[in-house]
Amino acid sequence: MTLSVVGLLHEINAVIDVDISAPVKSFEYLGDEITFDGDVELKGKLTRVKSKYYRFDGSVSARVSLVCGKCMSLYPYEVSFPVELHFSQKEKAIDDELDMYYTDGDTIEFDEAVQTNLIMNIPAKMECSPDCKGVCPICGVNLNIECCECSLEDDAPIDSRFAALKDFFEK
């Protein structure tokens, strides 16, 4: 997701409207791959604040595939959030309080900024639905898709993959 800033190079406080719809690369987060289902929409205004410093104020909208924390199935998630992004051609940050992304001077690449801000805007507890049944702790079958005949009594054998979780809530 790249934007040319050549038109902003000659005037401080120059502003351009941004309306981009383009693909963004998938990335790994907490061991899961976050993939974008379709293009990411980026809308807002890009301002040249100083000689080699740009600020983008706008919003990001995307549809991503997340892994449910209960049943381990992929599910689509629509996300839209406001952003304030800062780009600099200089190595040193303008302000230590800001997250700074770097530019080559002629173009701004938004992929890293979109990925970073997406992480802050997806739920910490990823669930495909509020009534997700998860997986059977004994046989591992997805209980949203099929039923199992396992007994959840205390003396029932536990799948070795889930044995470490047996006493989790009793501590």
PDB file of all heavy atoms in Angstrom, residues 99-115:
ATOM      1  N   ASP A  99       4.939   6.896  17.578  1.00  0.00           N
ATOM      2  CA  ASP A  99       5.415   5.757  16.799  1.00  0.00           C
ATOM      3  C   ASP A  99       5.735   6.306  15.418  1.00  0.00           C
ATOM      4  O   ASP A  99       4.876   6.889  14.762  1.00  0.00           O
ATOM      5  CB  ASP A  99       4.341   4.677  16.685  1.00  0.00           C
ATOM      6  CG  ASP A  99       4.140   3.922  17.974  1.00  0.00           C
ATOM      7  OD1 ASP A  99       5.085   3.863  18.774  1.00  0.00           O
ATOM      8  OD2 ASP A  99       3.035   3.394  18.176  1.00  0.00           O
ATOM      9  N   MET A 100       6.962   6.138  14.991  1.00  0.00           N
ATOM     10  CA  MET A 100       7.402   6.718  13.727  1.00  0.00           C
ATOM     11  C   MET A 100       7.673   5.621  12.715  1.00  0.00           C
ATOM     12  O   MET A 100       8.301   4.615  13.028  1.00  0.00           O
ATOM     13  CB  MET A 100       8.674   7.539  13.968  1.00  0.00           C
ATOM     14  CG  MET A 100       9.103   8.384  12.799  1.00  0.00           C
ATOM     15  SD  MET A 100       7.989   9.726  12.385  1.00  0.00           S
ATOM     16  CE  MET A 100       8.054  10.721  13.854  1.00  0.00           C
ATOM     17  N   TYR A 101       7.189   5.822  11.506  1.00  0.00           N
ATOM     18  CA  TYR A 101       7.466   4.933  10.388  1.00  0.00           C
ATOM     19  C   TYR A 101       8.350   5.711   9.429  1.00  0.00           C
ATOM     20  O   TYR A 101       8.246   6.932   9.326  1.00  0.00           O
ATOM     21  CB  TYR A 101       6.164   4.482   9.717  1.00  0.00           C
ATOM     22  CG  TYR A 101       5.251   3.774  10.684  1.00  0.00           C
ATOM     23  CD1 TYR A 101       4.240   4.470  11.341  1.00  0.00           C
ATOM     24  CD2 TYR A 101       5.422   2.430  10.960  1.00  0.00           C
ATOM     25  CE1 TYR A 101       3.417   3.825  12.256  1.00  0.00           C
ATOM     26  CE2 TYR A 101       4.597   1.782  11.875  1.00  0.00           C
ATOM     27  CZ  TYR A 101       3.594   2.488  12.507  1.00  0.00           C
ATOM     28  OH  TYR A 101       2.790   1.850  13.407  1.00  0.00           O
ATOM     29  N   TYR A 102       9.205   5.015   8.708  1.00  0.00           N
ATOM     30  CA  TYR A 102      10.173   5.700   7.866  1.00  0.00           C
ATOM     31  C   TYR A 102       9.783   5.630   6.402  1.00  0.00           C
ATOM     32  O   TYR A 102       9.169   4.679   5.938  1.00  0.00           O
ATOM     33  CB  TYR A 102      11.573   5.130   8.112  1.00  0.00           C
ATOM     34  CG  TYR A 102      11.991   5.391   9.533  1.00  0.00           C
ATOM     35  CD1 TYR A 102      11.880   4.407  10.495  1.00  0.00           C
ATOM     36  CD2 TYR A 102      12.422   6.652   9.912  1.00  0.00           C
ATOM     37  CE1 TYR A 102      12.210   4.665  11.814  1.00  0.00           C
ATOM     38  CE2 TYR A 102      12.740   6.921  11.238  1.00  0.00           C
ATOM     39  CZ  TYR A 102      12.632   5.924  12.175  1.00  0.00           C
ATOM     40  OH  TYR A 102      12.933   6.198  13.479  1.00  0.00           O
ATOM     41  N   THR A 103      10.152   6.681   5.682  1.00  0.00           N
ATOM     42  CA  THR A 103       9.851   6.817   4.275  1.00  0.00           C
ATOM     43  C   THR A 103      11.135   7.092   3.505  1.00  0.00           C
ATOM     44  O   THR A 103      12.093   7.608   4.071  1.00  0.00           O
ATOM     45  CB  THR A 103       8.825   7.955   4.034  1.00  0.00           C
ATOM     46  OG1 THR A 103       8.662   8.145   2.637  1.00  0.00           O
ATOM     47  CG2 THR A 103       9.272   9.260   4.659  1.00  0.00           C
ATOM     48  N   ASP A 104      11.146   6.747   2.228  1.00  0.00           N
ATOM     49  CA  ASP A 104      12.336   7.024   1.410  1.00  0.00           C
ATOM     50  C   ASP A 104      12.349   8.467   0.905  1.00  0.00           C
ATOM     51  O   ASP A 104      13.300   8.897   0.278  1.00  0.00           O
ATOM     52  CB  ASP A 104      12.426   6.041   0.244  1.00  0.00           C
ATOM     53  CG  ASP A 104      11.285   6.181  -0.749  1.00  0.00           C
ATOM     54  OD1 ASP A 104      10.467   7.111  -0.634  1.00  0.00           O
ATOM     55  OD2 ASP A 104      11.207   5.334  -1.668  1.00  0.00           O
ATOM     56  N   GLY A 105      11.281   9.203   1.158  1.00  0.00           N
ATOM     57  CA  GLY A 105      11.226  10.598   0.732  1.00  0.00           C
ATOM     58  C   GLY A 105      10.269  10.833  -0.419  1.00  0.00           C
ATOM     59  O   GLY A 105       9.610  11.862  -0.472  1.00  0.00           O
ATOM     60  N   ASP A 106      10.174   9.911  -1.366  1.00  0.00           N
ATOM     61  CA  ASP A 106       9.282  10.076  -2.513  1.00  0.00           C
ATOM     62  C   ASP A 106       7.971   9.312  -2.361  1.00  0.00           C
ATOM     63  O   ASP A 106       6.977   9.643  -2.989  1.00  0.00           O
ATOM     64  CB  ASP A 106       9.967   9.602  -3.801  1.00  0.00           C
ATOM     65  CG  ASP A 106      11.126  10.492  -4.200  1.00  0.00           C
ATOM     66  OD1 ASP A 106      11.150  11.659  -3.775  1.00  0.00           O
ATOM     67  OD2 ASP A 106      12.012  10.005  -4.925  1.00  0.00           O
ATOM     68  N   THR A 107       7.982   8.249  -1.544  1.00  0.00           N
ATOM     69  CA  THR A 107       6.780   7.439  -1.339  1.00  0.00           C
ATOM     70  C   THR A 107       6.626   7.097   0.141  1.00  0.00           C
ATOM     71  O   THR A 107       7.595   7.097   0.889  1.00  0.00           O
ATOM     72  CB  THR A 107       6.841   6.119  -2.131  1.00  0.00           C
ATOM     73  OG1 THR A 107       7.965   5.370  -1.697  1.00  0.00           O
ATOM     74  CG2 THR A 107       6.906   6.364  -3.630  1.00  0.00           C
ATOM     75  N   ILE A 108       5.392   6.810   0.508  1.00  0.00           N
ATOM     76  CA  ILE A 108       5.104   6.332   1.856  1.00  0.00           C
ATOM     77  C   ILE A 108       4.498   4.948   1.730  1.00  0.00           C
ATOM     78  O   ILE A 108       3.555   4.745   0.967  1.00  0.00           O
ATOM     79  CB  ILE A 108       4.149   7.287   2.604  1.00  0.00           C
ATOM     80  CG1 ILE A 108       4.883   8.597   2.920  1.00  0.00           C
ATOM     81  CG2 ILE A 108       3.619   6.640   3.878  1.00  0.00           C
ATOM     82  CD1 ILE A 108       4.038   9.627   3.619  1.00  0.00           C
ATOM     83  N   GLU A 109       5.046   4.001   2.468  1.00  0.00           N
ATOM     84  CA  GLU A 109       4.566   2.621   2.486  1.00  0.00           C
ATOM     85  C   GLU A 109       3.740   2.434   3.759  1.00  0.00           C
ATOM     86  O   GLU A 109       4.261   2.581   4.858  1.00  0.00           O
ATOM     87  CB  GLU A 109       5.757   1.659   2.456  1.00  0.00           C
ATOM     88  CG  GLU A 109       5.399   0.211   2.538  1.00  0.00           C
ATOM     89  CD  GLU A 109       4.511  -0.258   1.407  1.00  0.00           C
ATOM     90  OE1 GLU A 109       4.851  -0.019   0.239  1.00  0.00           O
ATOM     91  OE2 GLU A 109       3.463  -0.859   1.718  1.00  0.00           O
ATOM     92  N   PHE A 110       2.456   2.113   3.613  1.00  0.00           N
ATOM     93  CA  PHE A 110       1.539   2.026   4.747  1.00  0.00           C
ATOM     94  C   PHE A 110       1.405   0.629   5.346  1.00  0.00           C
ATOM     95  O   PHE A 110       0.815   0.477   6.412  1.00  0.00           O
ATOM     96  CB  PHE A 110       0.138   2.504   4.330  1.00  0.00           C
ATOM     97  CG  PHE A 110       0.012   3.983   4.173  1.00  0.00           C
ATOM     98  CD1 PHE A 110       0.118   4.573   2.926  1.00  0.00           C
ATOM     99  CD2 PHE A 110      -0.231   4.804   5.271  1.00  0.00           C
ATOM    100  CE1 PHE A 110      -0.007   5.947   2.779  1.00  0.00           C
ATOM    101  CE2 PHE A 110      -0.361   6.174   5.133  1.00  0.00           C
ATOM    102  CZ  PHE A 110      -0.241   6.753   3.887  1.00  0.00           C
ATOM    103  N   ASP A 111       1.929  -0.409   4.722  1.00  0.00           N
ATOM    104  CA  ASP A 111       1.697  -1.786   5.182  1.00  0.00           C
ATOM    105  C   ASP A 111       2.053  -2.004   6.656  1.00  0.00           C
ATOM    106  O   ASP A 111       1.246  -2.518   7.430  1.00  0.00           O
ATOM    107  CB  ASP A 111       2.472  -2.793   4.334  1.00  0.00           C
ATOM    108  CG  ASP A 111       1.823  -3.059   2.989  1.00  0.00           C
ATOM    109  OD1 ASP A 111       0.956  -2.264   2.581  1.00  0.00           O
ATOM    110  OD2 ASP A 111       2.187  -4.057   2.344  1.00  0.00           O
ATOM    111  N   GLU A 112       3.254  -1.644   7.058  1.00  0.00           N
ATOM    112  CA  GLU A 112       3.694  -1.876   8.440  1.00  0.00           C
ATOM    113  C   GLU A 112       2.807  -1.124   9.430  1.00  0.00           C
ATOM    114  O   GLU A 112       2.418  -1.655  10.471  1.00  0.00           O
ATOM    115  CB  GLU A 112       5.147  -1.458   8.624  1.00  0.00           C
ATOM    116  CG  GLU A 112       5.651  -1.673  10.036  1.00  0.00           C
ATOM    117  CD  GLU A 112       7.058  -1.143  10.266  1.00  0.00           C
ATOM    118  OE1 GLU A 112       7.701  -0.641   9.326  1.00  0.00           O
ATOM    119  OE2 GLU A 112       7.512  -1.240  11.420  1.00  0.00           O
ATOM    120  N   ALA A 113       2.454   0.116   9.103  1.00  0.00           N
ATOM    121  CA  ALA A 113       1.607   0.917   9.991  1.00  0.00           C
ATOM    122  C   ALA A 113       0.218   0.301  10.114  1.00  0.00           C
ATOM    123  O   ALA A 113      -0.357   0.260  11.205  1.00  0.00           O
ATOM    124  CB  ALA A 113       1.515   2.350   9.478  1.00  0.00           C
ATOM    125  N   VAL A 114      -0.341  -0.183   9.008  1.00  0.00           N
ATOM    126  CA  VAL A 114      -1.660  -0.826   9.039  1.00  0.00           C
ATOM    127  C   VAL A 114      -1.596  -2.103   9.876  1.00  0.00           C
ATOM    128  O   VAL A 114      -2.458  -2.342  10.725  1.00  0.00           O
ATOM    129  CB  VAL A 114      -2.161  -1.122   7.606  1.00  0.00           C
ATOM    130  CG1 VAL A 114      -3.360  -2.057   7.626  1.00  0.00           C
ATOM    131  CG2 VAL A 114      -2.506   0.181   6.885  1.00  0.00           C
ATOM    132  N   GLN A 115      -0.581  -2.913   9.688  1.00  0.00           N
ATOM    133  CA  GLN A 115      -0.439  -4.161  10.444  1.00  0.00           C
ATOM    134  C   GLN A 115      -0.322  -3.888  11.944  1.00  0.00           C
ATOM    135  O   GLN A 115      -0.993  -4.519  12.751  1.00  0.00           O
ATOM    136  CB  GLN A 115       0.782  -4.943   9.949  1.00  0.00           C
ATOM    137  CG  GLN A 115       0.636  -5.484   8.562  1.00  0.00           C
ATOM    138  CD  GLN A 115       1.945  -6.007   7.995  1.00  0.00           C
ATOM    139  OE1 GLN A 115       3.028  -5.752   8.516  1.00  0.00           O
ATOM    140  NE2 GLN A 115       1.846  -6.755   6.903  1.00  0.00           N
TER     141      GLN A 115
END
